[in-house]
Amino acid sequence: MTLERFIQLWTHRYHKYSHIFKARLLGYQARLHFAAVKRSLKKEQKLIAIIRTEHFGDIIAAEPISRHVRSRHPDAYIVWFVKPVFHELVDFNPAVNEVFQEFCVTQREVLLQGNVFDEVFQLQFRNNNHCDKCQVFIENPVAQQRQIDIFTYFNFGNLLEVFAKTAGLIAERATFPGDDQPQVYLQDSHRQKVDSLDLPQRFIVLHCRSNYAPKDWPADRWEQLITWLSEKYNYQIVEVGSASNLNVKTKSYRNLCGQLSILETAEVIRRANYFIGLDSGPSHLGNATGTYGIILMGSLNNFPDYNPYSGGYGRQENAVFVRRKGSPCAELSFDFVKEKVEAALGTSERKV
């Protein structure tokens, strides 16, 4: 073994075991914290954990579960487990008493081994119960028993129904029993931030790049679509997301990628006349804020025809899906998408 390789190996081991030590320490600290919370509750009050740590579209899709659990346990102290980067999606939820910002799954494993919670609803399965640094998986016995995993989950309904089933909240073939319209809880700070952007009165918001390449539509076709929209319609075009891969010159286009928090992005989408985007987190914001959605979708891995949404988008009361069954999103032609967008926008919106 070379000296360089030796240093690399022990540097990796140092970071790995330091991470594990910190995770376990934080787990024991969290166990003490929630034991104290439980002692402060009345005898009949339950301490309940809801675990949906990622991704932000999934957390939005799962939001109705918080209200459903609250309706079943009106006096409970409900804790939502989430990764720190997504905590704002849960911070202002009135159905949740506390947001637990999870360091990693090892911390959660140590915490839950203390049996401090009266009920634990896991809204995820093995594939998103993993820490790369610890090399640790946490199994969900309900999901295992129902054979819900990354290869099968959309066979069990939309995301809300899948999560409710992995938690054991509803039967394996049931539909969600409560209000299935997801919500986000926008605050004055989010509105004030968007006020400062001086957005136009009439605009279409676009989200053109997901965090999973098989869901994407090629950048050059997005550029074509933006040019066509700016020429044909009385709308400005505003792009949102973490980063843009477009090269757009038209004055009708504005790039806000990477400039906003998740809930600030939600407020931009709420103010838009239309949302045009992919099956990704911002489309769930569109569903939650009530903005009409035009969603570019394709087949996804083992699912040639799937619907991730509940509520207005899921029933296509407030959205249209642009798709060809069995074809990936990348194979949708510009003309096919243009035709669907044109039908959704209508002739009354065109420039004179």
Side-chain angles (χ1 to χ4, degrees):
M1 180 184 293
T2 65
L3 178 61
E4 181 181 4
R5 178 63 184 137
F6 178 82
I7 293 171
Q8 289 175 346
L9 175 63
W10 282 99
T11 299
H12 169 76
R13 287 180 176 175
Y14 170 77
H15 288 299
K16 175 180 177 179
Y17 291 115
S18 296
H19 174 89
I20 293 171
F21 176 79
K22 181 177 180 180
R24 296 189 67 82
L25 177 62
L26 290 172
Y28 286 116
Q29 290 174 342
R31 191 190 294 184
L32 291 172
H33 165 72
F34 286 113
V37 169
K38 190 169 184 178
R39 286 194 299 271
S40 73
L41 300 179
K42 296 177 182 177
K43 186 176 180 180
E44 66 276 11
Q45 282 184 285
K46 286 188 173 183
L47 180 61
I48 293 176
I50 299 175
I51 301 171
R52 183 70 224 180
T53 61
E54 57 178 334
H55 298 274
F56 90 73
D58 294 348
I59 295 167
I60 297 164
E63 182 276 337
I65 288 175
S66 66
R67 288 179 274 129
H68 179 67
V69 172
R70 174 60 68 196
S71 70
R72 288 175 48 168
H73 304 282
D75 298 322
Y77 190 93
I78 297 174
V79 181
W80 189 295
F81 287 50
V82 68
K83 286 189 173 181
V85 69
F86 302 127
H87 72 88
E88 65 176 306
L89 288 168
V90 196
D91 282 347
F92 309 106
N93 185 335
V96 174
N97 297 95
E98 183 174 342
V99 178
F100 179 66
Q101 297 186 40
E102 180 180 286
F103 177 70
C104 83
V105 297
T106 294
Q107 178 199 28
R108 187 202 319 158
E109 184 176 48
V110 171
L111 168 56
L112 296 183
Q113 284 172 349
N115 296 316
V116 67
F117 289 93
D118 297 297
E119 292 196 55
V120 177
F121 298 116
Q122 293 198 57
L123 312 188
Q124 42 200 62
F125 34 85
R126 190 178 203 264
N127 307 79
N128 41 41
N129 266 334
H130 176 238
C131 176
D132 289 330
K133 290 186 177 180
C134 298
Q135 292 298 305
V136 167
F137 285 93
I138 293 182
E139 300 290 1
N140 179 343
V142 177
Q144 284 185 300
Q145 191 272 326
R146 294 180 172 185
Q147 298 184 329
I148 303 173
D149 58 34
I150 197 67
F151 304 108
T152 64
Y153 66 108
F154 273 127
N155 298 331
F156 292 84
N158 60 48
L159 287 174
L160 173 61
E161 292 168 340
V162 171
F163 299 151
K165 289 169 185 177
T166 64
L169 284 164
I170 62 176
E172 192 170 323
R173 296 298 168 188
T175 57
F176 190 72
D179 177 12
D180 70 347
Q181 177 59 50
Q183 298 179 25
V184 288
Y185 299 93
L186 300 172
Q187 306 298 301
D188 286 342
S189 60
H190 308 125
R191 290 184 277 269
Q192 289 164 6
K193 171 64 177 182
V194 177
D195 285 344
S196 74
L197 299 175
D198 194 27
L199 293 172
Q201 288 294 313
R202 291 166 54 84
F203 68 96
I204 297 171
V205 67
L206 267 61
H207 179 246
C208 310
R209 194 177 185 186
S210 74
N211 65 353
Y212 187 54
K215 293 183 178 182
D216 286 345
W217 198 47
D220 62 327
R221 286 176 227 170
W222 279 114
E223 293 164 3
Q224 280 184 278
L225 185 67
I226 291 169
T227 300
W228 172 75
L229 286 168
S230 64
E231 290 174 350
K232 295 292 184 182
Y233 293 94
N234 287 308
Y235 291 107
Q236 297 290 303
I237 310 299
V238 176
E239 185 183 359
V240 298
S242 58
S244 177
N245 61 344
L246 305 184
N247 182 18
V248 179
K249 302 300 184 183
T250 176
K251 293 181 180 179
S252 300
Y253 165 83
R254 183 173 176 184
N255 178 7
L256 292 179
C257 293
Q259 301 176 41
L260 305 170
S261 72
I262 296 173
L263 290 185
E264 289 165 357
T265 300
E267 177 63 11
V268 170
I269 294 172
R270 187 191 68 80
R271 297 187 189 193
N273 296 84
Y274 294 94
F275 171 87
I276 304 177
L278 305 162
D279 166 27
S280 61
S283 65
H284 290 277
L285 292 176
N287 190 20
T289 57
T291 297
Y292 191 89
I294 302 169
I295 312 301
L296 279 60
M297 296 177 65
S299 59
L300 179 66
N301 301 330
N302 296 337
F303 312 110
D305 187 20
Y306 72 102
N307 178 1
Y309 307 100
S310 62
Y313 276 24
R315 291 184 287 275
Q316 296 185 61
E317 300 165 346
N318 198 36
V320 59
F321 295 164
V322 180
R323 72 192 316 174
R324 290 186 189 276
K325 185 176 180 180
S327 297
C329 188
E331 292 183 4
L332 299 177
S333 70
F334 168 71
D335 287 335
F336 177 77
V337 172
K338 183 184 79 169
E339 177 186 338
K340 299 298 184 182
V341 171
E342 193 169 27
L345 297 183
T347 57
S348 62
E349 305 289 358
R350 291 185 178 183
K351 289 181 178 177
V352 178

